[in-house]
Amino acid sequence: MGAITVKNLGKAYRQYPTRWSRLIEWFDPRDKPRHKQHWVLQNISFSVSPGEAVGIIGINGAGKSTLLKMITGTTQPTTGDVTLTGSVAALLELGMGFHPDFTGRQNVYMASQLLGISNSEIAEKMAEIEEFAEIGDYINQPVRTYSSGMQVRLAFSVATSVRPDILIVDEALSVGDAYFQHKSFDRIRQFRDQGTTLLFVSHSPDAIKSLCNRAILIDGGIVLRNDSPDVVLDYYNAAIAKQRADYDIKQTEQLTGQKMTRSGSGDATIEIVELYVNDEPVRALLSGAEATLRICGKTIVEIEELTVGILIRDRLGNDVFGTNTYHHTLSQKNLASEAFFIVDFKFPALNLGIGSYSLTVALHSRDAHVTDNYDWWDRVLVFQVLPGNTPPSIGVSNFPLSIHWQETTVNKNRKKVEKEIKQEEIINFGDEEKLPGITISILEPLAEMTVGEYYIISILLQNYSGQLLSSSIAEPFNLSYHWIDESNGDCLVFDGIRTPLPSPCLPYAELENCKVRIKAPENIGNYRLDIALVHEGVCWHESKEQATLHVNIIQKSNQSPVNTNND
């Protein structure tokens, strides 16, 4: 089991007034020092027990990365010492230890050897590293051709290929895409649950809260707070809004033992906060009940613009819901001094899950408290949500919903489940099935095709639906094609093979040059080609949108006409 002990750690760098001062001091070390010590970190002391997960947070320049470098030994401290027990894996800087001219595979071997992993172990783990990194054939290409996201994918895969006793992660994961971040955090959680000691640096409060059971706030090169994540992050949230000399931050301990943070300039103050149900103040309510949150306050000086905001958090300190009057275009302007105000936030149905929640209230200008924070009050009110009249649910939200079973039949001849709908509904791609905002256009349409030949059709996919269309999710979107025999009563003659979208199609964006491989029908005639967007795992007639092309299917020049009659 890994453990970390840091005692009186400090790091100072020499600052010379001129470049000649450095040279003179080097030639004559007996003379008085010609530099000043600039302390980046001073008197840092803390310990991390085996199996504990600790997050380090602070503004840019606070010294977080320097601290991790001293702990891992890549930078030597000026004062103090660090004691580590167990094997250590660290991901500090993007691509650290990678040589740009070597391939990804070669760099895997070199980086693994630096971690103390033998060549035989690397060979056994190589397939797993490639699978986790998901960079495809780039594993055999020079690292200089990699994007920053690909580098962090490979670096993280190597660093975590063998579960270490201590895992140290800096902010490198913030470079990767959202998909890989989720995948990486899942692996970190697995290591943590298996007993790995975690030291994690991040600017993300949600990541700190979900991964760590303790947090350390570093500011100005010293440890400012060392407590539970929600307490430290409340203080950090107040500290980053610090704008004035008379700005005050106070943390008081409630009777429950929880710490409450209040900060702000005091130009406007929160006086009373109450939660009402049926015009009665409450501290417990049923899930889904109509509720009103009332905030009473007062201005101390003239306020050019006043925004009132609320934030509901669960018992772990995770943000559940937040909004303010600015986002609803209801902030007040030009308030006089000594003016009282009352703001009601009315919830027609407070659909929270069963559990304990806290309320944070803020007074500030514009859209966020980092501009002018007048009064920020964490945990001003704690309330309980009890089971309501709806069916039981889990989680922090209790969404109203209805559930309907649809009858399906199994077509044994086709070996799949099909909905019992009419043939004309299949052909017309019923409007109720379409996803609004999706448009498919065929580029360079073909008016004629040869029997049985294959063709490549280029598609322009315009996605203005606000939904992510991606082939990397659990149920990807695909392009499919279908042949309709117009000369034979609009008969469906072929349900085409699906082609996954080549890359994620973002909301409100276009995906050009999608390629669909088409096989022409086996008989000559006039056909309609429908190219449609479908979901994996559902019938083709559930297509969301389609593009149509009328094609004349002709025979090959060296063959006789195909007899389409049954006699």
Side-chain angles (χ1 to χ4, degrees):
M1 299 290 282
I4 305 172
T5 303
V6 176
K7 290 183 179 179
N8 300 321
L9 205 62
K11 181 63 178 178
Y13 292 96
R14 294 180 178 182
Q15 287 187 335
Y16 292 89
T18 67
R19 59 181 179 178
W20 299 110
S21 300
R22 183 190 301 270
L23 186 61
I24 293 171
E25 185 180 270
W26 186 75
F27 274 112
D28 190 5
R30 299 169 300 175
D31 197 4
K32 64 178 182 179
R34 296 180 177 271
H35 67 269
K36 292 182 179 179
Q37 294 274 53
H38 173 65
W39 288 92
V40 179
L41 292 170
Q42 276 187 299
N43 301 322
I44 303 293
S45 297
F46 64 89
S47 61
V48 183
S49 303
E52 189 178 13
V54 175
I56 298 178
I57 198 164
I59 63 174
N60 289 331
K64 306 182 299 297
S65 297
T66 302
L67 174 61
L68 293 194
K69 289 178 182 178
M70 289 192 293
I71 291 175
T72 55
T74 58
T75 297
Q76 293 301 311
T78 306
T79 62
D81 56 80
V82 178
T83 303
L84 302 175
T85 60
S87 59
V88 180
L91 188 62
L92 300 183
E93 294 182 358
L94 182 63
M96 186 175 68
F98 283 1
H99 194 289
D101 292 330
F102 291 160
T103 67
R105 189 179 304 277
Q106 292 169 329
N107 274 292
V108 167
Y109 275 91
M110 291 189 297
S112 299
Q113 289 169 350
L114 292 175
L115 293 173
I117 305 174
S118 65
N119 284 339
S120 59
E121 289 179 290
I122 300 171
E124 292 176 1
K125 293 286 183 178
M126 181 59 74
E128 180 182 332
I129 292 171
E130 290 185 58
E131 181 181 358
F132 191 87
E134 293 187 59
I135 60 174
D137 293 336
Y138 276 95
I139 191 71
N140 297 314
Q141 299 298 321
V143 169
R144 67 171 180 272
T145 65
Y146 288 15
S147 66
S148 57
M150 293 170 64
Q151 288 186 48
V152 79
R153 280 172 173 253
L154 189 60
F156 183 86
S157 302
V158 174
T160 59
S161 59
V162 177
R163 186 180 73 83
D165 295 321
I166 300 173
L167 177 62
I168 300 175
V169 182
D170 204 345
E171 296 162 304
L173 288 180
S174 62
V175 178
D177 56 88
Y179 165 74
F180 191 75
Q181 286 180 20
H182 283 283
K183 189 175 181 179
S184 302
F185 285 139
D186 285 341
R187 173 167 283 191
I188 291 174
R189 289 189 186 94
Q190 292 174 9
F191 283 178
R192 179 197 61 189
D193 296 341
Q194 294 169 5
T196 293
T197 302
L198 175 64
L199 194 60
F200 181 67
V201 168
S202 177
H203 281 293
S204 170
D206 292 337
I208 295 289
K209 290 175 183 177
S210 63
L211 286 176
C212 306
N213 43 35
R214 183 158 57 95
I216 297 173
L217 173 61
I218 295 180
D219 188 32
I222 63 173
V223 174
L224 206 58
R225 286 290 186 277
N226 186 348
D227 210 321
S228 61
D230 53 344
V231 172
V232 172
L233 289 167
D234 285 346
Y235 192 92
Y236 173 68
N237 189 57
I240 60 176
K242 195 171 186 177
Q243 299 290 328
R244 298 173 45 169
D246 58 353
Y247 185 98
D248 194 16
I249 303 175
K250 296 179 181 178
Q251 278 194 321
T252 58
E253 190 163 328
Q254 299 173 310
L255 294 176
T256 59
Q258 289 186 320
K259 289 185 178 180
M260 179 179 63
T261 304
R262 191 169 186 179
S263 61
S265 65
D267 290 351
T269 59
I270 302 163
E271 301 294 326
I272 301 173
V273 178
E274 278 293 352
L275 182 64
Y276 290 92
V277 174
N278 297 327
D279 296 327
E280 295 290 334
V282 297
R283 291 296 181 272
L285 71 162
L286 300 180
S287 177
E290 182 178 354
T292 299
L293 179 62
R294 177 165 297 168
I295 300 167
C296 305
K298 182 179 71 172
T299 61
I300 305 303
V301 299
E302 292 183 2
I303 300 293
E304 183 179 348
E305 181 182 30
L306 179 63
T307 297
V308 181
I310 61 171
L311 175 61
I312 298 175
R313 291 173 172 156
D314 64 13
R315 63 181 182 84
L316 299 177
N318 296 310
D319 298 346
V320 175
F321 173 80
T323 189
N324 61 42
T325 55
Y326 181 89
H327 295 311
H328 292 260
T329 65
L330 291 171
S331 293
Q332 296 292 306
K333 297 183 181 295
N334 302 320
L335 276 74
S337 61
E338 302 297 328
F340 289 89
F341 58 87
I342 299 175
V343 181
D344 286 346
F345 290 82
K346 295 186 176 182
F347 297 88
L350 194 57
N351 293 311
L352 293 174
I354 300 167
S356 175
Y357 297 86
S358 68
L359 178 69
T360 294
V361 177
L363 306 179
H364 53 82
S365 66
R366 296 190 60 77
D367 62 328
H369 76 288
V370 295
T371 305
D372 290 304
N373 183 22
Y374 307 132
D375 195 3
W376 178 287
W377 197 343
D378 280 301
R379 293 186 183 80
V380 61
L381 186 149
V382 177
F383 62 95
Q384 296 284 332
V385 175
L386 306 175
N389 298 322
T390 58
S393 63
I394 61 172
V396 296
S397 299
N398 184 15
F399 296 130
L401 83 161
S402 59
I403 301 175
H404 303 278
W405 285 80
Q406 297 189 28
E407 292 185 3
T408 59
T409 59
V410 178
N411 186 333
K412 294 182 179 179
N413 294 329
R414 294 174 63 98
K415 303 292 184 181
K416 68 178 182 179
V417 176
E418 295 181 347
K419 288 185 177 179
E420 295 180 338
I421 59 178
K422 297 178 182 179
Q423 180 66 28
E424 56 266 27
E425 293 176 331
I426 295 178
I427 296 174
N428 292 333
F429 291 84
D431 289 340
E432 68 280 4
E433 297 289 351
K434 292 185 178 180
L435 185 64
I438 300 293
T439 303
I440 300 176
S441 304
I442 298 177
L443 305 176
E444 299 179 1
L446 298 174
E448 201 172 71
M449 294 185 186
T450 303
V451 169
E453 294 293 330
Y454 285 92
Y455 296 85
I456 300 296
I457 304 293
S458 296
I459 301 297
L460 170 64
L461 177 61
Q462 296 172 302
N463 179 18
Y464 297 104
S465 66
Q467 179 172 342
L468 175 67
L469 309 180
S470 171
S471 60
S472 62
I473 59 177
E475 292 186 355
F477 283 84
N478 298 266
L479 290 168
S480 183
Y481 70 95
H482 319 88
W483 285 107
I484 307 295
D485 187 353
E486 294 184 311
S487 60
N488 191 21
D490 284 346
C491 176
L492 174 67
V493 296
F494 184 70
D495 179 1
I497 299 173
R498 295 185 177 94
T499 304
L501 293 184
S503 62
C505 184
L506 301 177
Y508 310 110
E510 295 183 355
L511 190 62
E512 298 182 358
N513 295 324
C514 299
K515 305 292 185 183
V516 181
R517 190 165 183 257
I518 303 292
K519 183 181 181 182
E522 297 294 338
N523 299 318
I524 62 173
N526 295 320
Y527 292 84
R528 187 178 83 235
L529 172 66
D530 289 337
I531 297 180
L533 186 68
V534 300
H535 256 117
E536 182 67 29
V538 299
C539 300
W540 71 266
H541 53 260
E542 294 181 17
S543 303
K544 306 302 180 186
E545 188 55 271
Q546 71 180 77
T548 298
L549 188 65
H550 296 277
V551 183
N552 181 30
I553 305 299
I554 63 174
Q555 66 183 16
K556 295 181 180 179
S557 58
N558 59 349
Q559 70 177 36
S560 301
V562 179
N563 185 6
T564 59
N565 297 326
N566 293 327
D567 54 354

